[in-house]
Amino acid sequence: PGRPSFGSIWPFLGDAVRSLRRMTMDAANGDEQWGPMAAYAVAHLDEIDELVDGRCRYRPVRHHLGVTSFGATAWTAGAAGDLIINEHDEGDPTADQELFLVLRGHAVFELEGDRVDAPAGTLVFAPPRLKRTAFAEEAGTMIMLIEGTPGKAYEPRGWELWAPLAPLYESGEYPEVADRLRVLVQAHPQYAMLFYNLACCESLTGRTTDALAHLRRAIDMSEEFRGNAKLDSDLDPIRDQRAFKQLISD
């Protein structure tokens, strides 16, 4: 089949065919100096690599475009009946408001037990911790999710890159996860969570020196991970290390 048209739903996505960034430069007195910056990014959804978190398929729009002020993910279904949006309820630690837009196909949402029919063009808003999920009524259904936390600046965590590795981690494949995370943190060093998860996997595989170094990097980037490290059993193999005790001290 040919490339689908998004023009009737989201016009500015319909004709975008490549990603690009542009910055302008001014010259003054023969010296090149950075002038007013005009940076932007454009992409067609079909150009963004599709990833799988073990249950659902998605395109990491926010990460692909370099967005840092809100979350944006395009979730897709290969066949009718497929789960598109993972279940999320009041027990989830996140506190995001979520806006879903059915870009193409046909979905059905389940919101606190209510069944909501959602053909292409439907908008669904979910407040924080609402129990919700969605299934495809048609093959190829795609839902865009925009999210943010009320009253708080958005913090990109890089979950989009971690999610495909989560099933391997859950099955105990710690050496493979650690090896793949090392590649990811080198390519995307802006995400503290990836360094922290790498430290956990290295701890579990006896790579003590590397685990301590990457844990330090995570804590330097975000104090959140100092608190996490105090209770995380993945770090028990390195907990008696002097360097570890120094890292988790307040």
Side-chain angles (χ1 to χ4, degrees), residues 14 22-23 32 37 40 73 77 79 94 105 121 123 126 130-132 172-173 190 195 208 221 223 230 233 245:
R22 186 183 68 181
M23 299 183 70
E32 289 187 337
M37 183 174 66
Y40 58 86
T73 310
T94 62
L123 290 161
L130 180 81
K131 186 174 182 178
R132 90 292 184 269
E173 300 295 330
Q190 69 270 39
F195 282 101
T208 300
M221 295 174 70
E223 277 293 312
K230 293 178 180 180
S233 61
K245 295 177 180 179

Side-chain angles (χ1 to χ4, degrees), residues 52-239:
V52 181
D53 68 1
R55 294 172 293 177
C56 297
R57 299 163 21 163
Y58 63 97
R59 290 179 167 88
V61 175
R62 183 209 62 77
H63 173 74
H64 183 85
L65 296 177
V67 176
T68 59
S69 55
F70 56 88
T73 310
W75 296 89
T76 60
D82 281 359
L83 177 69
I84 310 179
I85 303 296
N86 289 317
E87 185 173 3
H88 168 91
D89 58 32
E90 66 276 3
D92 194 297
T94 62
D96 288 343
Q97 290 185 337
E98 300 173 315
L99 178 62
F100 301 92
L101 169 60
V102 182
L103 292 175
R104 68 184 182 203
H106 195 147
V108 170
F109 283 80
E110 295 180 3
L111 308 166
E112 292 291 352
D114 294 333
R115 182 180 173 89
V116 177
D117 189 54
T122 301
L123 290 161
V124 175
F125 169 70
R129 299 187 177 91
L130 180 81
K131 186 174 182 178
R132 90 292 184 269
T133 189
F135 296 86
E137 291 286 282
E138 298 177 4
T141 295
M142 180 179 288
I143 300 174
M144 177 68 77
L145 166 61
I146 306 297
E147 58 186 328
T149 303
K152 182 180 178 181
Y154 184 79
E155 297 179 5
R157 299 175 62 81
W159 71 265
E160 303 97 326
L161 303 179
W162 164 250
L165 300 180
L168 288 173
Y169 166 82
E170 292 168 359
S171 64
E173 300 295 330
Y174 306 126
E176 180 178 352
V177 177
D179 291 343
R180 291 173 65 174
L181 277 173
R182 287 181 70 91
V183 175
L184 285 176
V185 298
Q186 289 175 5
H188 309 287
Q190 69 270 39
Y191 298 127
M193 185 183 74
L194 296 185
F195 282 101
Y196 181 81
N197 289 349
L198 173 56
C200 288
C201 290
E202 289 170 333
S203 168
L204 291 167
T205 54
R207 307 177 192 180
T208 300
T209 300
D210 290 338
L212 290 168
H214 290 128
L215 179 60
R216 180 182 300 278
R217 180 71 177 272
I219 292 173
D220 286 346
M221 295 174 70
S222 174
E223 277 293 312
E224 170 191 356
F225 296 106
R226 190 189 308 276
N228 290 354
K230 293 178 180 180
L231 301 175
D232 196 330
S233 61
D234 285 352
L235 299 172
D236 284 352
I238 63 173
R239 196 166 299 279

Side-chain angles (χ1 to χ4, degrees), residues 11-26:
F12 67 81
L13 288 175
D15 297 326
V17 296
R18 63 183 181 278
S19 296
L20 58 88
R21 294 187 185 275
R22 186 183 68 181
M23 299 183 70
T24 59
M25 295 184 66
D26 288 341

